Amino acid sequence: MTQTTTSGQPVATPRGTRPAGPRRATLVAGLLLGLAAGLLVALVSVGVGARQVPLDQAWAALTAYVPGDIAHEAVRSRVPRTVLGLLVGASLGLAGALMQGLTRNPIADPGILGVNAGASMFVVLGIVVLGVTSPAAQVWFAFAGAAVAAVAVYWVASLGRGGPTPVKLALAGACITAALTSVITALLIMNTRAWDTFRFWQVGSVAGRSLDIVGTVLPYLVLGMLVALASGRVLNALSLGDDLARGLGQNVGRARGLAAVGVVLLCGGATAAAGPVAFVGLTVPHVARAITGPDYRWILPYSGLLGAVLVVLADVLGRIVAHPGQLQVGIVTAFIGAPVFIALVRRRKLAEL
Amino acid sequence: MTTSRTRTASTRAVATIASSLLALGALGACSTDTTASSDGSVAVGDTDAFPVTIEHAFGETVIDEAPTSVATVSWANQDAVIALGVVPVAMPFSTYGGDENGYLPWTLDALEALGDERPTLYSDTDGIPFDELELAGPDLILGTYSGMSDDEYSQLSKIAPTIAYPEVAWGTDWTTQLDVAGQALGLDDEAAALQTEIEDGIATAVESAPEIEGKTFAYLAFSSTDPSVVSYYTPTDSRVRFVESLGLVIAPSIVELSKDSAEFYGEVSAELADTIDADIVFAYVDSPEHLAAVEADPLLSAIPAIASGAIVVLDDPTFILSTSAPSPLSIPWAVREYVPLIQEAATHVE
Amino acid sequence: MPAAEPWAQAAGADRAPRPSPSPVAVVRAARRERTTRYRVVTTALVAVTVGLVVLTLCVGAFMVSFVDVLRVVGGADIDGATFVVWDLRLPRTVTAVCVGVAFGLSGAIFQTLVRNPLASPDIIGITAGASAAAVVAIMLFGLNPDLAAPFAFGGALVAAAIIYLLAWRGSVSGYRLVLVGIGVAAILNAVVSYALTRGDVIDANEALVWITGSLNASSWGRLPGLVWPLLALLPVVALLARPLRGLQLGDDLAAGIGVRPERSKLALIVVAVALAAIATAAAGPVAFVAFVSAPIARRLAPGSGLALVPSGLVGACVVLAADFAGAQLFGDTRLPVGIITGVIGAPFLLWLLAQSNRTGKG
């Protein structure tokens, strides 16, 4: 009981009062360092693959491209997945930070909160009902499903006193995931062909997506990122609790609504392009917070950068460990992220995160 | 050892080889059987041959007299029965690869040739529906090609004498299926004759297409979800073995890739596509659009056979089933359908 | 109705400490458990279970009259009917009842222990452990799905042990258990997703049927592995009912009435996990049975405290009815029991979710 009560304390613990975090200059330097790290992993991602291409040739593939040269083609084929990895990672990182700030909930993540399941459900409906198997078309189903599930989970968890507490949100997400998975199975068990397409989609991967897909989701992701990056001040105010935020002159309802739109744009777009990739949105903001302190104006950009780095790294790792095949990024992030999640919930004062 | 109940690819393959050998032995045995009917009728089994004892993975099954109503479980087993001119009383509905009535095309063709009689088709989405089988009232249940468990076997045995797979689950090739069905129905000679006929048919088809002899091939599956990898079937897979039976030779690179693997299936990055050194590629794709996407992909098109257009396109589950679950009806069908496609592909080999 | 639904108050407890009920209320609640309503509901549930058993024994592709069913059970040998009733339907029905009772009780224990109706073994990673082990066995080791049972059993136990150990911090808090469970479930689901992409679609389809839950593999030969452990666990559940009722009031109060919280919690978790594991090994992770049984039972018999017996009975009814529906209501197609419980359970789950959050207003 003691623990229950402790973890069940009011979530609006004071933390937006800007305790001494790192200095501004340090944080700016850190961001630049993050950018450099992003650039570095991007280069590694383009340079490393199943085919070993010498550095000079890899460089030539980008600068003096010879169409049809298999080494050049191999290197260039890593560009879309790297770009997508950066985008998906940044989006999921930002979405995670946004969700966590918005719900004052340390364990918010598109996977945990059922957004992935929503996207999956709509993709299956697309495959089974309309016979949609091309990734470019599946994007739209995933997008719609992610949005519907995100709204549903948040709405359900918000019912009752106390609003969307961590446990209520996590359970709502787990329940909606379980419910949707059941319906998905019912749809697929009678349709072996659809099942054959879906089982490859559901692992979550940035590999083999064309730049067209990147192009399709890019506007939504960029819009979502802008919304997210602009939300720092609002999240800081919200972290003081609704009443205090209102006192500071924030329109709490509108601020929440706008940030929620950002979440849906980011999660929906990322899941649409890469399938369900879990735990990035969960893990990254905590690392960011550990670096920056509690100020969301810094947490957000750090989360985006770290997310991008994490997903691209996970993709490279998947290529290395499963050579000459590859392990999908969704599998790798689950194994990296879930332990972080568990370490997190083992902390005594869940509500204070 | 639980090999008799595992169904990994390697065991499948071993089984296929083993059962081929067994089948050869069994055929020799058959030819010494002098009690076979001589009037050439295949509608009724030879009653003198009974009782017949058939060995299989779960023991021996004794069939006391010539069966008059046969039920089959799992895929493919109905085909051996129908090929011998007998319409089963009950067989499974094929949701994968079948038409809207649940028939695979080669099964339906053969049934139509036999007349208007049709079996009861049962749904096995939730496993074998034992009560429907009981209702059909068979006096023989054939599951020569199956992966039935011993529990399932003992339930089925309470309905009627049941024949499981000979040694290894899912490892029974079409000649053994035919041979066992022949023994069980008292149609040994007919089964032997039919086997010869089918083998002659394959030989004729192969002879009529000398240009495919000795060509190397790779059996590949492409995913529209993730074109950055290619899946290949290893030499242990029944599909691959079928193509080999047509006189083609598996590509050295696939042999090399599969050499440490016990699986029937592996993956290789599209970045290494150019190393798939096959004359002809058998390509599973979702649709014609997907094929176009594969051909346009800068990496996948580096597979020499894709570049030259020496492709046997497999975009239909029926095609997949015809050789992945080989039966005495599906194999002739597959030969008929595949050989012209392979010939066409062979014209593109450079 | 303060003690009517253990989580009705507990849902508020994730925000703020609440006043604990007085010992007098405890006694009153315990007395209320023996109210007429409780007895009526339990009797009615027994009647419904018996009715469903009779229905599933008589009706199917092969119809058998009630009289013949009785004769077969009495030992008569009737052509056809004996096989269908004795060899097929009776073991399947007994399996359905046992699986339902086991899942129902397991869910009820977890939900009470964690004080949340959503904390059933299917949500917090225990059946996910069974699924992951079984799918790996089917897809990567090429096992016949019928033989996946020991893997499933082991998978459930290992997952539960991992969850428990990871959630342990001097003591086990219900919420931490749930959240760690959700995290472990996510990894296990990634394993399932990955394993399902390895191999061809036919195997993947068999694995899908397994992770849905099916009773088709029931037989007399497999029943002992389900029935004996269940019969062994039932008295343990009865013994643990008192500590569970105590823990419902909070660790401190429980200690006050002589319950040792940590030891009792561990014992309860072990029992609940064992119940879920034997049921999953017998029929696969039949979706949501563990989840829906106790909430339905408590709505039927409000004010009856733990309502363990009704929960088990509701579980049995749900499995029996869903299996019957899957076999009979879809024309020629026979659907596994888990599809029916999943599709019916999903909206109920969402409704319950909304409902329990609302009642959290307290």
Side-chain angles (χ1 to χ4, degrees):
Chain A
M1 185 67 208
T2 338
Q3 275 67 37
T4 315
T5 325
T6 318
S7 63
Q9 273 177 357
V11 263
T13 47
R15 65 169 167 185
T17 42
R18 302 262 231 111
R23 289 170 163 281
R24 191 186 171 83
T26 322
L27 287 172
V28 173
L31 267 188
L32 292 174
L33 201 68
L35 274 175
L39 197 65
L40 187 70
V41 292
L43 286 175
V44 170
S45 170
V46 173
V48 174
R51 185 178 210 92
Q52 291 180 0
V53 181
L55 275 182
D56 55 331
Q57 268 200 64
W59 182 248
L62 303 177
T63 53
Y65 169 51
V66 182
D69 180 317
I70 181 83
H72 283 195
E73 297 293 2
V75 172
R76 291 178 77 89
S77 79
R78 298 169 196 157
V79 173
R81 73 192 289 170
T82 305
V83 171
L84 191 60
L86 290 169
L87 276 173
V88 165
S91 301
L92 291 175
L94 278 171
L98 212 49
M99 276 176 148
Q100 292 176 12
L102 195 60
T103 59
R104 283 181 239 135
N105 180 337
I107 54 172
D109 171 78
I112 303 277
L113 295 195
V115 176
N116 288 345
S120 301
M121 168 83 192
F122 273 55
V123 167
V124 171
L125 280 177
I127 298 172
V128 172
V129 180
L130 303 170
V132 176
T133 55
S134 90
Q138 282 173 358
V139 160
W140 294 102
F141 289 89
F143 201 83
V148 169
V151 171
V153 169
Y154 190 77
W155 175 72
V156 168
S158 307
L159 292 173
R161 198 183 62 181
T165 60
V167 172
K168 275 162 81 183
L169 268 169
L171 273 172
C175 287
I176 283 184
T177 301
L180 293 177
T181 307
S182 270
V183 178
I184 291 169
T185 312
L187 288 168
L188 291 177
I189 209 154
M190 298 297 297
N191 191 330
T192 309
R193 275 201 106 169
W195 165 231
D196 205 16
T197 306
F198 177 74
R199 66 193 179 116
F200 290 100
W201 186 84
Q202 70 167 355
V203 286
S205 171
V206 293
R209 269 62 172 174
S210 68
L211 280 172
D212 292 352
I213 293 173
V214 179
T216 309
V217 296
L218 189 64
Y220 304 97
L221 295 184
V222 169
L223 194 62
M225 287 179 190
L226 290 177
V227 170
L229 290 172
S231 305
R233 186 182 290 276
V234 174
L235 294 185
N236 280 346
L238 280 177
S239 68
L240 300 172
D242 287 7
D243 294 343
L244 263 172
R246 232 171 260 128
L248 289 173
Q250 293 289 342
N251 182 333
V252 175
R254 200 176 59 195
R256 277 234 168 89
L258 187 65
V261 169
V263 168
V264 169
L265 286 170
L266 291 167
C267 291
T271 308
V277 177
F279 286 115
V280 176
L282 177 96
T283 315
V284 157
H286 291 285
V287 181
R289 197 173 288 120
I291 301 170
T292 64
D295 186 344
Y296 271 97
R297 287 173 302 176
W298 290 106
I299 292 175
L300 283 162
Y302 268 83
S303 297
L305 270 177
L306 290 169
V309 171
L310 175 65
V311 168
V312 175
L313 266 185
D315 185 38
V316 173
L317 204 62
R319 274 180 258 168
I320 294 170
V321 294
H323 182 88
Q326 59 193 5
L327 208 54
Q328 294 86 347
V329 81
I331 310 288
V332 181
T333 55
F335 275 88
I336 297 176
V340 175
F341 173 84
I342 290 165
L344 214 58
V345 297
R346 275 175 57 80
R347 289 202 197 170
R348 197 173 293 273
K349 297 189 178 176
L350 199 53
E352 291 177 6
L353 278 163
Chain B
M1 263 287 268
T2 55
T3 44
S4 63
R5 286 171 223 162
T6 60
R7 47 179 306 198
T8 56
S10 60
T11 50
R12 253 185 236 184
V14 171
T16 313
I17 299 162
S19 53
S20 309
L21 294 172
L22 276 176
L24 286 174
L27 268 179
C30 284
S31 61
T32 61
D33 183 352
T34 53
T35 58
S37 65
S38 52
D39 61 354
S41 155
V42 291
V44 182
D46 174 12
T47 48
D48 296 340
F50 291 91
V52 165
T53 303
I54 296 173
E55 274 189 50
H56 53 81
F58 301 117
E60 287 182 347
T61 297
V62 179
I63 306 164
D64 290 324
E65 48 194 84
T68 54
S69 44
V70 186
T72 66
V73 296
S74 188
W75 321 289
N77 295 302
Q78 72 278 355
D79 289 358
V81 178
I82 296 168
L84 290 171
V86 176
V87 178
V89 290
M91 59 179 260
F93 185 103
S94 300
T95 43
Y96 186 59
D99 61 15
E100 71 272 24
N101 296 318
Y103 288 109
L104 294 160
W106 48 86
T107 310
L108 188 61
D109 286 350
L111 270 177
E112 279 172 348
L114 290 178
D116 293 334
E117 199 187 337
R118 290 290 175 272
T120 305
L121 265 54
Y122 60 81
S123 154
D124 60 0
T125 305
D126 189 23
I128 300 170
F130 301 100
D131 56 346
E132 287 194 46
L133 283 170
E134 169 71 22
L135 196 63
D139 49 15
L140 173 70
I141 298 172
L142 269 185
T144 325
Y145 179 85
S146 74
M148 71 171 74
S149 64
D150 52 1
D151 265 349
E152 286 170 335
Y153 170 74
S154 59
Q155 294 286 42
L156 289 171
S157 296
K158 290 171 194 155
I159 302 173
T162 300
I163 298 165
Y165 50 88
E167 279 185 51
V168 176
W170 307 111
T172 318
D173 66 8
W174 69 268
T175 56
T176 312
Q177 292 169 32
L178 197 53
D179 179 49
V180 171
Q183 287 180 50
L185 296 171
L187 297 169
D188 290 305
D189 284 3
E190 288 80 359
L194 188 57
Q195 185 181 336
T196 314
E197 195 186 313
I198 293 171
E199 281 167 347
D200 288 349
I202 298 176
T204 312
V206 173
E207 276 162 27
S208 73
E211 69 272 33
I212 68 177
E213 170 87 39
K215 292 277 186 298
T216 59
F217 74 98
Y219 215 120
L220 306 177
F222 295 93
S223 158
S224 58
T225 313
D226 185 357
S228 72
V229 288
V230 183
S231 302
Y232 56 88
Y233 290 91
T234 65
T236 61
D237 185 74
S238 64
R239 281 154 274 223
V240 171
R241 299 178 51 78
F242 166 73
V243 177
E244 284 180 319
S245 74
L246 299 178
L248 286 83
V249 180
I250 190 158
S253 60
I254 300 294
V255 175
E256 175 66 22
L257 276 171
S258 357
K259 74 173 189 291
D260 296 327
S261 165
E263 292 187 60
F264 66 98
Y265 169 97
E267 258 183 19
V268 64
S269 166
E271 293 183 11
L272 302 171
D274 62 323
T275 60
I276 300 174
D277 57 352
D279 294 330
I280 296 174
V281 156
F282 291 73
Y284 281 163
V285 288
D286 288 348
S287 59
E289 298 79 56
H290 180 206
L291 177 69
V294 168
E295 288 174 321
D297 187 286
L299 287 175
L300 296 176
S301 62
I303 298 172
I306 298 278
S308 65
I311 312 168
V312 176
V313 182
L314 311 167
D315 59 1
D316 182 344
T318 312
F319 259 79
I320 299 173
L321 263 189
S322 71
T323 58
S324 60
S327 84
L329 291 177
S330 75
I331 288 297
W333 184 91
V335 170
R336 209 165 51 239
E337 301 281 328
Y338 274 61
V339 168
L341 293 176
I342 302 171
Q343 283 180 291
E344 159 63 17
T347 62
H348 297 282
V349 175
E350 282 157 358
Chain C
M1 33 167 251
E5 296 185 359
W7 54 77
Q9 316 159 318
D14 60 353
R15 267 191 63 79
R18 61 188 169 79
S20 303
S22 68
V24 181
V26 178
V27 177
R28 220 177 265 153
R31 255 185 222 144
R32 230 179 281 151
E33 192 161 1
R34 294 186 292 272
T35 55
T36 333
R37 170 131 193 193
Y38 179 81
R39 254 181 269 142
V40 170
V41 166
T42 310
T43 315
L45 282 170
V46 170
V48 173
T49 309
V50 171
L52 283 166
V53 165
V54 171
L55 182 72
T56 50
L57 288 177
C58 292
V59 178
F62 195 112
M63 303 293 275
V64 182
S65 73
F66 180 58
V67 178
D68 281 352
V69 167
L70 289 182
R71 287 173 58 205
V72 167
V73 175
D77 193 353
I78 307 169
D79 189 37
T82 298
F83 171 70
V84 168
V85 172
W86 184 259
D87 290 305
L88 296 181
R89 293 189 187 156
L90 207 52
R92 186 170 181 133
T93 305
V94 174
T95 306
V97 171
C98 292
V99 163
V101 168
F103 273 135
L105 287 176
S106 176
I109 295 173
F110 267 115
Q111 288 165 337
T112 310
L113 203 58
V114 179
R115 299 149 174 268
N116 195 308
L118 309 174
S120 81
D122 19 15
I123 306 290
I124 64 168
I126 289 158
T127 52
S131 294
V135 170
V136 165
I138 294 168
M139 297 297 293
L140 303 185
F141 305 152
L143 212 69
N144 181 313
D146 267 18
L147 301 164
F151 285 83
F153 186 77
L157 294 188
V158 170
I162 291 173
I163 293 166
Y164 184 82
L165 291 176
L166 286 174
W168 174 267
R169 271 191 57 136
S171 72
V172 164
S173 126
Y175 289 114
R176 201 156 54 225
L177 198 69
V178 171
L179 293 174
V180 168
I182 289 173
V184 171
I187 294 194
L188 292 168
N189 289 332
V191 171
V192 170
S193 294
Y194 174 72
L196 286 173
T197 67
R198 306 295 305 174
D200 68 13
V201 69
I202 305 279
D203 287 343
N205 218 26
E206 289 193 335
L208 189 64
V209 171
W210 193 92
I211 53 179
T212 305
S214 165
L215 291 170
N216 204 56
S218 316
S219 68
W220 287 118
R222 292 176 58 141
L223 267 183
L226 172 65
V227 174
W228 296 126
L230 181 62
L231 288 180
L233 285 168
L234 289 179
V236 184
V237 173
L239 279 177
L240 288 170
R242 189 180 150 273
L244 181 59
R245 209 170 285 130
L247 287 170
Q248 212 179 318
L249 308 171
D251 290 6
D252 297 340
L253 265 173
I257 57 168
V259 174
R260 276 183 281 194
E262 286 316 312
R263 191 181 288 192
S264 307
K265 273 192 222 166
L266 179 60
L268 281 160
I269 289 171
V270 167
V271 169
V273 166
L275 285 166
I278 57 167
T280 310
V286 186
F288 300 144
V289 177
F291 178 86
V292 299
S293 299
I296 293 178
R298 284 172 183 153
R299 274 179 173 70
L300 290 174
S304 58
L306 297 177
L308 287 177
V309 175
S311 300
L313 288 169
V314 168
C317 292
V318 167
V319 175
L320 282 167
D323 190 44
F324 182 78
Q328 306 304 329
L329 300 187
F330 296 88
D332 292 335
T333 305
R334 295 194 169 201
L335 294 175
V337 60
I339 291 285
I340 311 296
T341 58
V343 170
I344 293 172
F348 181 76
L349 187 151
L350 297 182
W351 176 78
L352 197 70
L353 191 63
Q355 202 64 24
S356 73
N357 281 350
R358 280 222 185 84
T359 54
K361 281 171 193 159

